[in-house]
Amino acid sequence: MMFWYGNGMNGWGWFAMSAGMVLFWGLLITAVVLVFRTLNRATEQPARKGGPTAPEQILGERLARGEIDEEEYRRRLNTLRSGES
């Protein structure tokens, strides 16, 4: 036996259907964003080999911020590299 509710759904039926659709699309978009973020993090590995060491990187950042000038940078960089033998 089928139940008919006049000419269609009442107000609560439309509300439930609309809320369900918004929830569905919200969950789908959230899942896609999380998957892309996870995949993006997996490819963003810091360059360890061949890249600057931590002291050299700090020295470069200080030069970029203007804390030291280029002459001071080169002098300290040579000191760091001569001690790494």
Coordinates of all heavy atoms in Angstrom, one line a residue:
M1 N 0.8 -1.2 0.0 CA 0.0 0.0 0.0 C 0.9 1.2 0.0 O 1.8 1.3 0.8 CB -0.9 0.0 1.3 CG -1.8 1.2 1.3 SD -2.4 1.2 3.0 CE -4.0 1.5 2.9
M2 N 0.6 2.2 -0.9 CA 1.4 3.4 -0.9 C 0.7 4.5 -0.2 O -0.5 4.6 -0.1 CB 1.6 3.9 -2.4 CG 2.4 2.9 -3.2 SD 2.6 3.6 -4.8 CE 4.3 4.1 -4.8
F3 N 1.5 5.4 0.4 CA 0.9 6.5 1.1 C 1.1 7.8 0.2 O 2.2 8.1 -0.1 CB 1.6 6.7 2.4 CG 1.4 5.6 3.3 CD1 2.3 4.6 3.5 CD2 0.2 5.4 4.0 CE1 2.1 3.5 4.4 CE2 -0.1 4.4 4.9 CZ 0.9 3.4 5.0
W4 N 0.1 8.4 -0.1 CA 0.2 9.7 -0.8 C -0.2 10.8 0.1 O -1.1 10.8 0.9 CB -0.8 9.6 -2.0 CG -0.5 8.6 -3.0 CD1 -1.0 7.3 -3.1 CD2 0.5 8.7 -4.0 NE1 -0.4 6.6 -4.1 CE2 0.5 7.4 -4.7 CE3 1.4 9.7 -4.4 CZ2 1.4 7.1 -5.7 CZ3 2.2 9.4 -5.5 CH2 2.2 8.2 -6.1
Y5 N 0.6 11.9 -0.1 CA 0.4 13.1 0.7 C -0.1 14.2 -0.2 O 0.5 15.2 -0.3 CB 1.6 13.5 1.4 CG 2.1 12.4 2.4 CD1 3.2 11.6 2.1 CD2 1.5 12.3 3.6 CE1 3.6 10.7 2.9 CE2 1.9 11.3 4.5 CZ 3.0 10.5 4.2 OH 3.4 9.6 5.0
G6 N -1.2 14.1 -0.8 CA -1.8 15.1 -1.6 C -1.1 15.3 -2.9 O -0.8 14.4 -3.6
N7 N -0.7 16.6 -3.2 CA -0.1 16.9 -4.4 C 1.5 16.9 -4.3 O 2.1 17.5 -5.1 CB -0.5 18.3 -4.9 CG -1.9 18.2 -5.5 OD1 -2.4 17.2 -5.9 ND2 -2.6 19.3 -5.5
G8 N 2.0 16.4 -3.3 CA 3.5 16.4 -3.2 C 3.9 16.4 -1.7 O 3.1 16.2 -0.8
M9 N 5.2 16.8 -1.5 CA 5.7 16.9 -0.2 C 5.2 18.1 0.5 O 5.0 19.1 -0.1 CB 7.2 16.9 -0.2 CG 7.9 15.6 -0.5 SD 9.6 15.7 -0.3 CE 10.1 16.3 -1.9
N10 N 5.1 18.0 1.8 CA 4.8 19.2 2.6 C 6.0 20.0 2.9 O 7.1 19.7 2.4 CB 4.0 18.8 3.9 CG 4.9 17.9 4.8 OD1 6.1 17.8 4.6 ND2 4.3 17.4 5.8
G11 N 5.9 21.1 3.7 CA 7.1 21.9 3.9 C 8.2 21.3 4.6 O 9.4 21.5 4.3
W12 N 7.9 20.3 5.5 CA 9.0 19.6 6.2 C 9.8 18.7 5.3 O 11.0 18.5 5.4 CB 8.5 18.9 7.4 CG 8.1 19.8 8.5 CD1 6.8 20.1 8.9 CD2 9.0 20.6 9.3 NE1 6.9 21.0 9.9 CE2 8.2 21.3 10.2 CE3 10.3 20.7 9.4 CZ2 8.7 22.2 11.2 CZ3 10.9 21.6 10.3 CH2 10.1 22.3 11.2
G13 N 9.1 18.1 4.3 CA 9.7 17.2 3.4 C 10.7 18.0 2.5 O 11.8 17.5 2.2
W14 N 10.3 19.2 2.1 CA 11.2 20.0 1.3 C 12.4 20.5 2.1 O 13.5 20.5 1.6 CB 10.5 21.2 0.7 CG 9.6 20.9 -0.5 CD1 8.3 20.8 -0.5 CD2 10.1 20.6 -1.8 NE1 7.8 20.4 -1.7 CE2 8.9 20.3 -2.6 CE3 11.3 20.5 -2.4 CZ2 9.0 19.9 -3.9 CZ3 11.4 20.1 -3.7 CH2 10.2 19.8 -4.5
F15 N 12.1 20.8 3.3 CA 13.2 21.3 4.2 C 14.2 20.1 4.4 O 15.4 20.3 4.3 CB 12.7 21.7 5.6 CG 13.7 22.1 6.6 CD1 14.5 23.2 6.4 CD2 14.0 21.2 7.6 CE1 15.5 23.5 7.3 CE2 15.0 21.5 8.5 CZ 15.8 22.6 8.4
A16 N 13.7 18.9 4.7 CA 14.6 17.8 5.0 C 15.4 17.4 3.7 O 16.6 17.2 3.8 CB 13.8 16.6 5.4
M17 N 14.8 17.5 2.5 CA 15.5 17.2 1.3 C 16.5 18.3 1.0 O 17.7 18.0 0.6 CB 14.5 17.2 0.1 CG 15.1 16.7 -1.2 SD 13.9 16.5 -2.5 CE 13.4 18.2 -2.8
S18 N 16.2 19.5 1.2 CA 17.2 20.6 1.0 C 18.4 20.5 2.0 O 19.5 20.7 1.6 CB 16.5 22.0 1.2 OG 15.5 22.1 0.2
A19 N 18.1 20.3 3.3 CA 19.1 20.2 4.3 C 20.0 19.0 4.0 O 21.2 19.0 4.1 CB 18.5 20.0 5.7
G20 N 19.4 17.9 3.5 CA 20.2 16.7 3.2 C 21.1 17.0 2.0 O 22.3 16.5 1.9
M21 N 20.6 17.7 1.0 CA 21.4 18.0 -0.2 C 22.6 18.9 0.2 O 23.7 18.7 -0.2 CB 20.6 18.7 -1.2 CG 21.1 18.6 -2.6 SD 21.4 16.9 -3.0 CE 20.8 16.8 -4.6
V22 N 22.3 20.0 1.0 CA 23.4 20.9 1.5 C 24.4 20.1 2.3 O 25.7 20.2 2.1 CB 22.8 22.0 2.3 CG1 23.9 22.8 3.0 CG2 22.0 22.9 1.4
L23 N 24.0 19.2 3.2 CA 24.9 18.4 3.9 C 25.7 17.5 3.0 O 27.0 17.3 3.2 CB 24.1 17.5 4.9 CG 24.9 16.7 5.9 CD1 25.8 17.6 6.8 CD2 24.0 15.8 6.7
F24 N 25.1 16.8 2.1 CA 25.8 16.0 1.1 C 26.9 16.7 0.4 O 28.1 16.3 0.3 CB 24.8 15.4 0.1 CG 25.5 14.7 -1.0 CD1 26.0 13.4 -0.9 CD2 25.6 15.3 -2.3 CE1 26.7 12.8 -2.0 CE2 26.2 14.7 -3.4 CZ 26.7 13.4 -3.2
W25 N 26.6 17.9 -0.2 CA 27.6 18.6 -1.0 C 28.7 19.2 0.0 O 29.9 19.2 -0.4 CB 26.9 19.7 -1.7 CG 26.2 19.2 -3.0 CD1 24.9 19.1 -3.2 CD2 26.9 18.6 -4.1 NE1 24.6 18.5 -4.4 CE2 25.8 18.2 -5.0 CE3 28.2 18.4 -4.5 CZ2 26.1 17.6 -6.2 CZ3 28.4 17.8 -5.7 CH2 27.4 17.4 -6.6
G26 N 28.3 19.6 1.2 CA 29.3 20.0 2.1 C 30.3 19.0 2.5 O 31.5 19.2 2.5
L27 N 29.8 17.8 2.7 CA 30.7 16.6 3.1 C 31.6 16.3 1.9 O 32.8 15.9 2.0 CB 29.9 15.4 3.6 CG 29.2 15.6 4.9 CD1 28.3 14.4 5.2 CD2 30.3 15.7 6.0
L28 N 31.0 16.3 0.7 CA 31.7 15.9 -0.5 C 32.9 16.9 -0.8 O 34.0 16.5 -1.0 CB 30.8 15.8 -1.7 CG 31.5 15.4 -3.0 CD1 31.9 13.9 -2.9 CD2 30.5 15.5 -4.2
I29 N 32.6 18.2 -0.7 CA 33.6 19.2 -0.9 C 34.7 19.2 0.2 O 35.9 19.3 -0.1 CB 32.9 20.6 -1.0 CG1 32.1 20.7 -2.2 CG2 34.0 21.7 -0.9 CD1 31.2 21.9 -2.3
T30 N 34.3 18.9 1.4 CA 35.3 18.8 2.5 C 36.2 17.6 2.3 O 37.4 17.7 2.5 CB 34.5 18.6 3.9 OG1 33.7 19.8 4.1 CG2 35.5 18.5 5.0
A31 N 35.6 16.5 1.8 CA 36.4 15.3 1.6 C 37.4 15.6 0.4 O 38.6 15.2 0.5 CB 35.5 14.1 1.2
V32 N 37.0 16.2 -0.6 CA 37.9 16.5 -1.7 C 39.0 17.5 -1.3 O 40.2 17.2 -1.6 CB 37.1 17.1 -2.9 CG1 38.0 17.7 -4.0 CG2 36.2 16.1 -3.5
V33 N 38.7 18.5 -0.5 CA 39.7 19.4 0.0 C 40.7 18.7 0.9 O 41.9 18.9 0.7 CB 39.1 20.6 0.7 CG1 40.1 21.4 1.5 CG2 38.3 21.5 -0.3
L34 N 40.3 17.9 1.7 CA 41.2 17.1 2.6 C 42.1 16.2 1.8 O 43.3 16.0 2.2 CB 40.4 16.3 3.7 CG 39.7 17.2 4.8 CD1 38.9 16.3 5.7 CD2 40.7 18.0 5.5
V35 N 41.6 15.5 0.8 CA 42.4 14.6 0.0 C 43.5 15.5 -0.7 O 44.6 15.1 -0.7 CB 41.5 13.9 -1.0 CG1 42.4 13.2 -2.1 CG2 40.7 12.8 -0.3
F36 N 43.1 16.6 -1.3 CA 44.1 17.4 -2.0 C 45.2 18.0 -1.0 O 46.3 18.0 -1.4 CB 43.5 18.5 -2.8 CG 42.9 18.1 -4.1 CD1 41.6 18.2 -4.4 CD2 43.7 17.6 -5.1 CE1 41.1 17.8 -5.6 CE2 43.2 17.2 -6.3 CZ 41.9 17.3 -6.6
R37 N 44.8 18.4 0.2 CA 45.7 18.9 1.2 C 46.7 17.8 1.6 O 47.9 18.0 1.7 CB 45.0 19.4 2.4 CG 44.3 20.7 2.2 CD 43.5 21.0 3.4 NE 44.0 22.3 4.0 CZ 43.7 22.7 5.2 NH1 42.8 22.0 5.9 NH2 44.2 23.8 5.6
T38 N 46.2 16.6 1.8 CA 47.0 15.4 2.2 C 48.0 15.1 1.1 O 49.2 14.9 1.3 CB 46.2 14.2 2.5 OG1 45.2 14.5 3.5 CG2 47.0 13.0 2.9
L39 N 47.6 15.1 -0.2 CA 48.5 14.8 -1.3 C 49.5 15.9 -1.5 O 50.6 15.6 -1.8 CB 47.7 14.6 -2.6 CG 46.8 13.4 -2.6 CD1 45.9 13.4 -3.9 CD2 47.6 12.1 -2.6
N40 N 49.1 17.1 -1.2 CA 50.0 18.3 -1.4 C 51.1 18.2 -0.3 O 52.2 18.5 -0.6 CB 49.2 19.6 -1.3 CG 50.1 20.7 -1.8 OD1 51.0 20.6 -2.5 ND2 49.7 21.9 -1.3
R41 N 50.7 17.8 0.9 CA 51.7 17.7 2.0 C 52.7 16.6 1.7 O 53.9 16.7 2.1 CB 51.0 17.4 3.3 CG 50.5 18.7 4.0 CD 50.1 18.4 5.4 NE 49.2 19.5 5.8 CZ 48.1 19.3 6.6 NH1 47.8 18.1 7.0 NH2 47.4 20.3 6.9
A42 N 52.3 15.5 1.1 CA 53.2 14.4 0.8 C 54.2 14.8 -0.2 O 55.4 14.3 -0.1 CB 52.4 13.2 0.3
T43 N 53.9 15.7 -1.1 CA 54.9 16.2 -2.1 C 55.8 17.3 -1.6 O 56.8 17.6 -2.2 CB 54.2 16.6 -3.4 OG1 53.4 17.7 -3.1 CG2 53.5 15.5 -4.0
E44 N 55.5 17.9 -0.5 CA 56.3 19.1 0.0 C 57.3 18.6 1.1 O 57.2 18.9 2.2 CB 55.3 20.1 0.7 CG 54.5 20.9 -0.3 CD 53.7 21.9 0.5 OE1 53.8 22.0 1.7 OE2 52.9 22.6 -0.2
Q45 N 58.3 17.9 0.6 CA 59.3 17.4 1.5 C 60.5 18.4 1.4 O 60.9 18.8 0.4 CB 59.8 16.0 1.1 CG 58.8 14.9 1.2 CD 58.3 14.8 2.7 OE1 59.1 14.9 3.6 NE2 57.1 14.5 2.8
P46 N 61.0 18.9 2.6 CA 62.1 19.8 2.6 C 63.3 19.2 1.9 O 63.6 18.1 2.1 CB 62.3 20.2 4.0 CG 61.7 19.1 4.8 CD 60.6 18.5 3.9
A47 N 64.0 20.1 1.2 CA 65.3 19.6 0.5 C 66.4 19.5 1.6 O 66.9 20.5 2.1 CB 65.6 20.5 -0.6
R48 N 66.8 18.3 1.9 CA 67.9 18.1 2.9 C 69.2 18.0 2.2 O 70.2 18.6 2.6 CB 67.5 16.9 3.7 CG 66.2 17.0 4.5 CD 66.5 17.1 5.9 NE 65.2 17.1 6.6 CZ 64.9 17.9 7.6 NH1 65.8 18.8 8.0 NH2 63.7 17.9 8.1
K49 N 69.3 17.1 1.2 CA 70.6 16.9 0.6 C 70.9 18.0 -0.4 O 70.1 18.3 -1.3 CB 70.6 15.5 -0.1 CG 70.5 14.4 0.8 CD 70.5 13.0 0.1 CE 70.4 11.9 1.1 NZ 70.5 10.6 0.5
G50 N 72.0 18.5 -0.4 CA 72.4 19.6 -1.3 C 71.9 20.9 -0.9 O 72.4 21.9 -1.5
G51 N 71.0 21.0 0.0 CA 70.5 22.3 0.4 C 71.4 22.9 1.5 O 72.3 22.3 2.0
P52 N 71.1 24.1 1.9 CA 71.9 24.8 2.9 C 71.6 24.1 4.3 O 70.5 23.6 4.5 CB 71.4 26.2 2.9 CG 70.0 26.2 2.3 CD 70.0 25.0 1.4
T53 N 72.7 24.1 5.1 CA 72.5 23.5 6.4 C 71.8 24.5 7.3 O 71.6 25.7 6.9 CB 73.9 23.2 7.0 OG1 74.7 24.4 7.1 CG2 74.7 22.2 6.2
A54 N 71.4 24.1 8.5 CA 70.6 25.0 9.3 C 71.4 26.3 9.6 O 70.8 27.4 9.5 CB 70.2 24.3 10.6
P55 N 72.7 26.3 10.0 CA 73.3 27.6 10.3 C 73.4 28.5 9.0 O 73.2 29.7 9.1 CB 74.7 27.2 10.7 CG 74.6 25.8 11.2 CD 73.5 25.2 10.4
E56 N 73.7 27.9 7.9 CA 73.7 28.7 6.6 C 72.4 29.3 6.3 O 72.3 30.4 5.8 CB 74.2 27.8 5.5 CG 75.7 27.5 5.6 CD 76.2 26.6 4.5 OE1 75.4 26.5 3.4 OE2 77.3 26.1 4.6
Q57 N 71.3 28.5 6.6 CA 70.0 29.0 6.3 C 69.6 30.2 7.2 O 69.1 31.2 6.7 CB 69.0 27.8 6.5 CG 67.6 28.2 6.1 CD 66.6 27.0 6.3 OE1 67.0 26.0 6.7 NE2 65.4 27.3 5.9
I58 N 70.0 30.1 8.5 CA 69.7 31.1 9.4 C 70.5 32.4 9.0 O 70.0 33.5 9.0 CB 70.1 30.7 10.8 CG1 69.1 29.6 11.3 CG2 70.1 31.9 11.8 CD1 69.5 29.0 12.6
L59 N 71.7 32.2 8.6 CA 72.6 33.3 8.1 C 71.9 34.0 6.9 O 71.9 35.2 6.8 CB 74.0 32.8 7.8 CG 75.1 33.8 7.7 CD1 75.2 34.7 8.9 CD2 76.4 33.2 7.4
G60 N 71.4 33.2 5.9 CA 70.8 33.7 4.8 C 69.5 34.5 5.1 O 69.2 35.5 4.5
E61 N 68.8 34.0 6.1 CA 67.5 34.7 6.5 C 67.9 36.0 7.2 O 67.2 37.0 7.0 CB 66.8 33.8 7.5 CG 66.1 32.6 6.8 CD 65.5 31.6 7.8 OE1 65.6 31.8 9.1 OE2 65.0 30.6 7.4
R62 N 69.0 36.0 7.9 CA 69.4 37.3 8.6 C 69.8 38.3 7.5 O 69.5 39.5 7.6 CB 70.5 37.1 9.5 CG 70.1 36.3 10.8 CD 71.2 36.2 11.8 NE 71.6 37.6 12.3 CZ 72.7 37.9 12.9 NH1 73.6 36.9 13.2 NH2 72.9 39.1 13.3
L63 N 70.5 37.9 6.4 CA 70.8 38.8 5.3 C 69.5 39.3 4.7 O 69.4 40.5 4.4 CB 71.7 38.0 4.3 CG 72.1 38.8 3.1 CD1 73.0 40.0 3.4 CD2 72.7 37.9 2.1
A64 N 68.6 38.4 4.4 CA 67.3 38.8 3.8 C 66.5 39.8 4.6 O 65.9 40.7 4.0 CB 66.5 37.5 3.5
R65 N 66.6 39.7 5.9 CA 65.9 40.6 6.8 C 66.6 41.9 7.0 O 66.1 42.9 7.5 CB 65.7 40.0 8.2 CG 64.6 38.9 8.2 CD 64.2 38.5 9.6 NE 65.3 38.0 10.4 CZ 65.6 36.7 10.6 NH1 64.8 35.8 10.1 NH2 66.6 36.4 11.3
G66 N 67.9 42.0 6.5 CA 68.7 43.2 6.6 C 69.4 43.3 8.0 O 69.9 44.4 8.3
E67 N 69.5 42.3 8.7 CA 70.2 42.3 10.0 C 71.7 42.4 9.8 O 72.3 43.0 10.7 CB 69.8 41.1 10.9 CG 68.4 41.1 11.3 CD 68.0 39.8 12.1 OE1 69.0 39.0 12.4 OE2 66.8 39.6 12.3
I68 N 72.2 41.8 8.8 CA 73.6 41.9 8.5 C 73.8 42.3 7.0 O 72.9 42.1 6.2 CB 74.3 40.6 8.7 CG1 73.7 39.4 7.9 CG2 74.3 40.2 10.2 CD1 74.4 38.1 8.0
D69 N 74.9 42.9 6.7 CA 75.2 43.3 5.3 C 75.9 42.1 4.5 O 76.2 41.1 5.1 CB 76.0 44.6 5.2 CG 77.3 44.4 5.9 OD1 77.7 43.4 6.4 OD2 78.1 45.4 5.8
E70 N 76.1 42.3 3.3 CA 76.6 41.2 2.4 C 78.0 40.9 2.9 O 78.4 39.7 2.8 CB 76.6 41.6 1.0 CG 77.0 40.5 0.0 CD 76.8 40.8 -1.4 OE1 76.2 41.9 -1.7 OE2 77.3 40.0 -2.2
E71 N 78.8 41.8 3.2 CA 80.2 41.6 3.7 C 80.2 40.7 4.9 O 81.0 39.7 5.0 CB 80.9 42.9 3.9 CG 82.4 42.7 4.4 CD 83.0 44.1 4.7 OE1 82.6 45.1 4.1 OE2 83.9 44.1 5.6
E72 N 79.4 41.1 5.9 CA 79.3 40.3 7.1 C 78.8 38.9 6.8 O 79.2 37.9 7.4 CB 78.3 41.0 8.1 CG 78.1 40.3 9.4 CD 79.3 40.4 10.4 OE1 80.2 41.2 10.1 OE2 79.3 39.6 11.4
Y73 N 77.8 38.8 5.9 CA 77.3 37.5 5.5 C 78.4 36.6 4.9 O 78.5 35.4 5.3 CB 76.2 37.7 4.4 CG 75.7 36.4 3.8 CD1 74.9 35.5 4.5 CD2 76.1 36.0 2.5 CE1 74.5 34.3 3.9 CE2 75.7 34.9 1.9 CZ 74.9 34.0 2.6 OH 74.5 32.8 2.0
R74 N 79.2 37.1 4.0 CA 80.2 36.3 3.4 C 81.3 35.9 4.4 O 81.8 34.8 4.4 CB 80.8 37.1 2.2 CG 79.9 37.3 1.1 CD 80.6 37.6 -0.2 NE 79.6 37.9 -1.3 CZ 78.9 37.0 -2.0 NH1 79.1 35.7 -1.7 NH2 78.1 37.3 -2.9
R75 N 81.6 36.8 5.3 CA 82.7 36.5 6.3 C 82.2 35.4 7.2 O 82.9 34.4 7.4 CB 83.0 37.8 7.1 CG 84.1 37.6 8.1 CD 84.5 38.9 8.8 NE 83.4 39.5 9.6 CZ 83.0 39.0 10.8 NH1 83.7 38.0 11.3 NH2 82.1 39.6 11.4
R76 N 81.0 35.5 7.7 CA 80.4 34.4 8.5 C 80.2 33.1 7.8 O 80.4 32.0 8.4 CB 79.1 34.9 9.2 CG 79.3 36.0 10.2 CD 78.1 36.4 10.8 NE 78.3 37.5 11.7 CZ 77.8 37.6 13.0 NH1 77.0 36.6 13.4 NH2 78.0 38.6 13.7
L77 N 79.8 33.2 6.5 CA 79.6 32.0 5.7 C 80.9 31.3 5.5 O 81.0 30.0 5.7 CB 79.0 32.3 4.4 CG 78.6 31.2 3.5 CD1 77.5 30.3 4.2 CD2 78.1 31.7 2.2
N78 N 82.0 32.0 5.2 CA 83.3 31.4 5.1 C 83.8 30.8 6.4 O 84.4 29.7 6.4 CB 84.4 32.4 4.6 CG 84.2 32.8 3.2 OD1 83.7 32.0 2.4 ND2 84.6 34.0 2.8
T79 N 83.5 31.4 7.5 CA 83.9 30.9 8.8 C 83.1 29.6 9.1 O 83.7 28.6 9.5 CB 83.5 31.9 10.0 OG1 84.2 33.1 9.7 CG2 83.9 31.3 11.3
L80 N 81.8 29.5 8.8 CA 81.0 28.3 8.9 C 81.6 27.2 8.1 O 81.7 26.0 8.5 CB 79.6 28.5 8.6 CG 78.7 29.2 9.6 CD1 77.3 29.6 9.0 CD2 78.5 28.4 10.8
R81 N 81.8 27.5 6.8 CA 82.3 26.4 5.9 C 83.7 26.0 6.2 O 84.0 24.8 5.9 CB 82.2 26.9 4.4 CG 80.7 27.0 4.0 CD 80.6 27.4 2.6 NE 79.1 27.4 2.2 CZ 78.7 27.9 1.1 NH1 79.5 28.4 0.2 NH2 77.4 27.8 0.9
S82 N 84.6 26.8 6.7 CA 85.9 26.4 7.0 C 85.9 25.5 8.2 O 86.8 24.6 8.4 CB 86.8 27.6 7.2 OG 86.4 28.3 8.4
G83 N 85.0 25.6 9.1 CA 84.9 24.7 10.3 C 84.2 23.4 10.0 O 84.2 22.5 10.9
E84 N 83.6 23.2 8.8 CA 82.9 21.9 8.5 C 83.8 20.9 7.9 O 83.3 19.8 7.6 CB 81.8 22.2 7.5 CG 80.7 23.0 8.1 CD 79.5 23.2 7.1 OE1 79.7 22.8 6.0 OE2 78.5 23.9 7.5
S85 N 85.1 21.0 7.8 CA 85.9 20.0 7.2 C 85.9 18.8 8.0 O 85.7 17.8 8.0 CB 87.4 20.5 7.2 OG 87.5 21.7 6.5

